[in-house]
Amino acid sequence: MASFFFFTGLLLLLPCLSLSVTAAKQTYIVHMKHQAKPSTFSTHNDWYASSVQSLSSSTDSLLYTYNTAYNGFAASLDPDQAQALRQSDAVLGVYEDTLYTLHTTRSPQFLGISSDFGLLAGYSKLDFDKASLDVIIGVLDTGVWPESKSFDDSAMPEVPTKWRGQCESGPDFSPKLCNKKLIGARFFSKGYHMAGGSFSKKPNEPESPRDYDGHGTHTASTAAGVPVANASLLGYASGVARGMATHARVATYKVCWKTGCFGSDILAGIDRAIQDGVDVLSMSLGGGSAPYYRDTIAVGAFAAMEKGIVVSCSAGNSGPTKASLANVAPWILTVGAGTLDRDFPAYVFLGNKKKATGVSLYSGNGMGNKPVSLVYNKGSNGSSSSNLCLPGSLQPELVRGRVVICDRGINARVEKGAVVRDAGGVGMILANTAASGEELVADSHLLPAVAIGRKMGDIVREYAKTVPNPTALLTFGGTVLNVRPSPVVAAFSSRGPNMVTPQILKPDVIGPGVNILAAWTEASGPTELEKDTRRTKFNIMSGTSMSCPHLSGVAALLKAAHPDWSPSAIKSALMTTAYVVDNTKSPLHDAADGRLSTPWAHGSGHVNPQKAISPGLVYDASTEDYVAFLCSLGYTIEHVQAIVKRPNITCTRKFNTPGELNYPSFSVLFGDQRVVRYTRELTNVGPARSLYNVTVDGPSTVGISVRPKRLLFRTVGEKKRYTVTFVAKNGDQKMGGAAFGSIVWGNAQHQVRSPVAFSWTQLMS
């Protein structure tokens, strides 16, 4: 399982991988013209089956038929058969299946979610809890460990009557394992199996909804797990573990397996989740940037949005590299990651009396109190990779009984520790390089190990290389709360700008994603290494995979409080109420370099559930608005139809620029023009007779004017428009650079804030 491509820790966000390994059969997703079904077929499924049978004699070539998220099917075809389909007038497109990757607790208190949360929206506690019971969160991931106490259904009423899903069986999974909390569990593996010959090198995973990895159980319990007392990871982060929306129901859709998540399986999972009746879709997975009509998640999410479903996705773990985002479609809530105010300190004491502070989740006996010899870059057979502690790179006679310094990068952090242990080392110092900066991610290592930042890492490396007999002692400090400053943007969190649509600012928001405690599978150890025989009911993980379900759970709370709000309104509430200062009252900082963060890293800011439930105003957008947005991208009508799934799309209404979408944030790309002007519409979801005044902030290189400067909303639900004009000042163009600002509509009760990003030239991919 260690080879699984998670969006946790600092594994890179891989681009979508085309699976054209040989000319043998592979999976293709086929987009059909829905209205072109011949009358001789009673259903579209019959038509799809006939289309495949005309090309292949194999009875199992048709893998999936899609009815809600997509018009078409997935089939196992050879390249010639795929090309034959492309020649048909009834076919809009034939696409090779793509591989997506997973983006891999103190959170409720840190976010201000308590038992009286509903009072902020005018509910009694009883009424809000009752409303929350009707909200269903669908989690597309690696499955679920149903025996976890996080999914206990004690005192929960019957399943909502709107639910149309089910609990599927498998050799290791009985439908009876579902209950009134975990109300559904399905699995989708046909795309995974089709790729098995070239991608799967491990023993087959049983076909069932059961989670053998841990990632899916962790994300599902983060979103909606019930409170579990005395939870910890081997003593770390001890306390009550609970999800964001503890009264919401959970349905899991296993679309990710040992080698990753295949687009055909993801699309099938989204398709079924929509039909089952979920209210929120949580997906901690993604691929590289691609046009929306080629992005499986974007296409499926559009169909979900049309049905009123909020779709929350992780932004990816390829930070701090610019333009590294995944899941940037404007109808998706794109979630980055920040830190909590909790830490797990550990210390390195060097023989020269210097002390380095780092982090660790090591829970064994420790090293005692006697320093031991310290080594760095002591390879075997002239290995040049021993500084990275790659498998087979360490020479046992040089590291036995010593503490080894390992540079972070290439292989998994916990694997480095296993390599040191297997070579006879008694401890490890995991030292960051420039790529990770000062960001520290704690791990449950197999031997005493401390992770330290780049600056201290350079000092420790230099000490080991220049002193005749260097020594080190590692000690561990347990769990510390009220860490300052926090939150800090995680260095691994993927960054803007948005390469698919530069006029849409992404990510949207950040949430807790570093060192998060949540439920875990009992089929895998906390490091996920095969040699890790430890078993624990909870684990601590990091990644935008962890921040995404936090936002999914908060979105469920908003859905319970405001069942008539659209997904766009809920997203707006989360974005415009986010905060951009830490607990020291300073602007948010970036863990990558310690400097101030920007909206390309934190979006609108860090989620603030207490404010989001009563935002005052929202930027709403309808399906028709998103269609006008798509029509402004220069796509063909067929490409727009692939996303919208309507045969009568004509693009008679389209924006002059994609930035005209009624989005809660602004991304201004000047290019060869000096003036950019946008009109936005605000909807009053606060009290009647609410008056708002505008405040703008921006760089000296840009003039910003808003008309009108004041908005009076006489009734609840009233809509008002304003126009903002951005003018790049002569001689001040920042070629290739960027700047940032904000537009805030405020009164005594509410501050409705929109970040603004300015670019003078488009960053080329």
Side-chain angles (χ1 to χ4, degrees):
M1 293 180 212
S3 65
F4 201 108
F5 297 125
F6 295 114
F7 269 11
T8 52
L10 285 184
L11 288 180
L12 295 177
L13 167 62
L14 301 178
C16 293
L17 301 175
S18 289
L19 305 182
S20 52
V21 178
T22 70
K25 284 192 173 185
Q26 60 190 84
T27 303
Y28 291 87
I29 298 176
V30 183
H31 178 217
M32 302 289 282
K33 290 182 180 176
H34 194 68
Q35 75 280 13
K37 179 182 72 67
S39 59
T40 51
F41 297 103
S42 58
T43 69
H44 282 83
N45 288 356
D46 292 339
W47 179 36
Y48 300 156
S50 176
S51 300
V52 175
Q53 289 168 9
S54 68
L55 296 168
S56 173
S57 58
S58 175
T59 57
D60 58 357
S61 291
L62 182 64
L63 304 180
Y64 296 112
T65 58
Y66 305 121
N67 301 299
T68 307
Y70 199 73
N71 290 332
F73 57 89
S76 170
L77 306 168
D78 63 38
D80 290 340
Q81 293 169 334
Q83 187 58 34
L85 273 177
R86 291 188 179 99
Q87 308 307 314
S88 170
D89 291 338
V91 174
L92 289 172
V94 180
Y95 308 111
E96 295 178 9
D97 202 359
T98 49
L99 177 64
Y100 291 80
T101 55
L102 284 168
H103 293 159
T104 291
T105 20
R106 178 162 169 80
S107 313
Q109 297 97 311
F110 185 69
L111 294 176
I113 297 176
S114 60
S115 59
D116 60 355
F117 184 73
L119 300 177
L120 298 169
Y123 284 80
S124 69
K125 181 182 184 305
L126 183 63
D127 286 343
F128 185 71
D129 289 349
K130 185 177 180 181
S132 300
L133 291 166
D134 288 331
V135 179
I136 302 166
I137 302 176
V139 181
L140 271 69
D141 213 296
T142 63
V144 67
W145 193 263
E147 294 87 355
S148 171
K149 291 182 180 180
S150 294
F151 306 116
D152 181 77
D153 69 345
S154 299
M156 292 197 80
E158 291 304 310
V159 175
T161 56
K162 68 177 182 179
W163 178 241
R164 299 180 295 275
Q166 67 181 64
C167 205
E168 296 179 349
S169 63
D172 56 357
F173 200 99
S174 166
K176 294 180 181 179
L177 289 170
C178 287
N179 55 29
K180 291 177 286 188
K181 177 66 176 181
L182 178 65
I183 64 174
R186 297 184 185 271
F187 65 95
F188 303 86
S189 60
K190 294 177 181 177
Y192 162 70
H193 282 302
M194 259 310 299
S198 54
F199 277 83
S200 180
K201 305 299 183 186
K202 294 191 173 184
N204 285 333
E205 197 171 342
E207 286 198 70
S208 84
R210 185 171 290 281
D211 181 11
Y212 282 87
D213 186 276
H215 192 274
T217 301
H218 198 282
T219 56
S221 62
T222 298
V226 301
V228 179
N230 301 315
S232 73
L233 168 61
L234 305 173
Y236 284 98
S238 181
V240 177
R242 51 158 288 183
M244 299 297 98
T246 57
H247 291 84
R249 319 294 180 130
V250 177
T252 62
Y253 299 82
K254 184 173 181 176
V255 299
C256 298
W257 304 80
K258 290 181 179 179
T259 52
C261 326
F262 290 87
S264 54
D265 295 332
I266 294 170
L267 199 53
I270 297 174
D271 197 67
R272 176 50 63 182
I274 295 171
Q275 296 177 59
D276 285 348
V278 303
D279 298 294
V280 177
L281 265 179
S282 186
M283 291 186 277
S284 292
L285 47 89
S289 292
Y292 300 127
Y293 59 86
R294 286 289 291 116
D295 185 337
T296 300
I297 295 173
V299 172
F302 192 97
M305 176 274 299
E306 283 192 284
K307 298 290 186 181
I309 300 168
V310 180
V311 181
S312 171
C313 294
S314 47
N317 288 356
S318 293
T321 303
K322 284 185 180 179
S324 53
L325 292 164
N327 302 318
V328 296
W331 48 89
I332 290 174
L333 178 66
T334 309
V335 186
T339 63
L340 285 173
D341 63 343
R342 177 181 65 197
D343 211 351
F344 308 100
Y347 308 97
V348 178
F349 294 92
L350 300 177
N352 62 2
K353 308 301 182 185
K354 288 189 176 180
K355 170 186 170 185
T357 299
V359 297
S360 182
L361 293 171
Y362 174 71
S363 58
N365 294 326
M367 289 179 55
N369 55 14
K370 185 178 179 180
V372 301
S373 180
L374 177 68
V375 295
Y376 176 59
N377 210 10
K378 297 295 184 182
S380 58
N381 302 320
S383 171
S384 61
S385 60
S386 62
N387 63 306
L388 291 164
C389 301
L390 300 181
S393 67
L394 297 179
Q395 195 168 343
E397 55 268 30
L398 296 179
V399 303
R400 188 176 294 115
R402 295 173 168 86
V403 171
V404 181
I405 303 168
C406 299
D407 290 343
R408 183 170 167 179
I410 308 298
N411 59 332
R413 300 182 300 271
V414 289
E415 184 183 59
K416 295 175 188 291
V419 169
V420 172
R421 187 189 69 168
D422 292 347
V426 298
M428 176 181 71
I429 299 172
L430 181 62
N432 282 5
T433 61
S436 301
E438 299 307 311
E439 176 189 62
L440 299 178
V441 179
D443 295 296
S444 182
H445 291 282
L446 294 172
L447 85 171
V450 178
I452 59 176
R454 181 191 64 82
K455 294 176 183 176
M456 203 63 221
D458 288 344
I459 293 173
V460 173
R461 281 183 282 255
E462 186 65 19
Y463 167 71
K465 289 189 294 184
T466 58
V467 172
N469 296 298
T471 63
L473 174 66
L474 311 182
T475 65
F476 305 91
T479 304
V480 173
L481 302 179
N482 302 311
V483 172
R484 296 159 71 90
S486 62
V488 175
V489 179
F492 61 72
S493 190
S494 288
R495 310 303 167 93
N498 178 347
M499 295 300 289
V500 182
T501 316
Q503 297 87 347
I504 300 295
L505 178 59
K506 290 282 182 171
D508 291 314
V509 72
I510 63 170
V514 179
N515 299 332
I516 304 301
L517 178 76
W520 192 244
T521 178
E522 292 183 43
S524 177
T527 64
E528 302 169 78
L529 296 173
E530 290 185 11
K531 59 183 66 177
D532 187 354
T533 59
R534 299 171 297 177
R535 292 297 180 264
T536 176
K537 296 180 185 299
F538 292 85
N539 198 7
I540 292 173
M541 300 185 77
S542 297
T544 54
S545 276
M546 284 62 253
S547 53
C548 169
H550 279 90
L551 269 294
S552 304
V554 176
L557 294 175
L558 267 61
K559 188 86 172 177
H562 307 287
D564 57 333
W565 281 12
S566 71
S568 298
I570 290 175
K571 182 163 75 163
S572 174
L574 292 167
M575 291 171 64
T576 61
T577 58
Y579 59 84
V580 290
V581 295
D582 60 31
N583 58 1
T584 69
K585 305 303 181 184
S586 297
L588 293 178
H589 283 71
D590 191 329
D593 54 15
R595 298 178 181 175
L596 293 180
S597 177
T598 75
W600 279 357
H602 63 242
S604 295
H606 192 285
V607 64
N608 186 343
Q610 291 181 307
K611 297 285 187 182
I613 202 167
S614 179
L617 304 172
V618 295
Y619 293 86
D620 209 351
S622 65
T623 299
E624 285 65 34
D625 292 328
Y626 288 120
V627 173
F629 163 82
L630 290 169
C631 289
S632 72
L633 297 178
Y635 291 174
T636 65
I637 292 294
E638 288 77 16
H639 287 154
V640 176
Q641 288 175 347
I643 302 166
V644 183
K645 295 170 288 296
R646 295 183 196 168
N648 58 348
I649 294 296
T650 61
C651 283
T652 51
R653 180 197 171 211
K654 64 180 179 180
F655 300 135
N656 293 321
T657 166
E660 291 183 6
L661 179 67
N662 198 42
Y663 211 66
S665 59
F666 295 84
S667 181
V668 179
L669 178 61
F670 286 114
D672 57 0
Q673 56 190 341
R674 288 189 56 240
V675 179
V676 174
R677 182 175 290 111
Y678 290 135
T679 295
R680 292 286 199 264
E681 182 179 77
L682 286 162
T683 302
N684 181 31
V685 294
R689 299 203 61 79
S690 292
L691 178 65
Y692 288 82
N693 294 297
V694 72
T695 304
V696 300
D697 175 58
S700 60
T701 52
V702 179
I704 307 173
S705 61
V706 178
R707 296 289 184 272
K709 294 183 177 297
R710 150 178 313 202
L711 295 173
L712 174 62
F713 295 88
R714 291 182 171 81
T715 61
V716 178
E718 184 178 2
K719 299 177 184 293
K720 291 278 189 180
R721 291 190 170 197
Y722 70 91
T723 298
V724 55
T725 303
F726 305 101
V727 180
K729 297 178 181 178
N730 276 335
D732 285 332
Q733 283 83 351
K734 300 174 66 172
M735 297 304 294
F740 304 93
S742 64
I743 297 173
V744 182
W745 290 95
N747 59 24
Q749 290 75 39
H750 300 102
Q751 298 292 309
V752 184
R753 184 181 183 279
S754 295
V756 186
F758 301 98
S759 300
W760 278 258
T761 57
Q762 183 173 343
L763 184 65
M764 302 304 292
S765 58

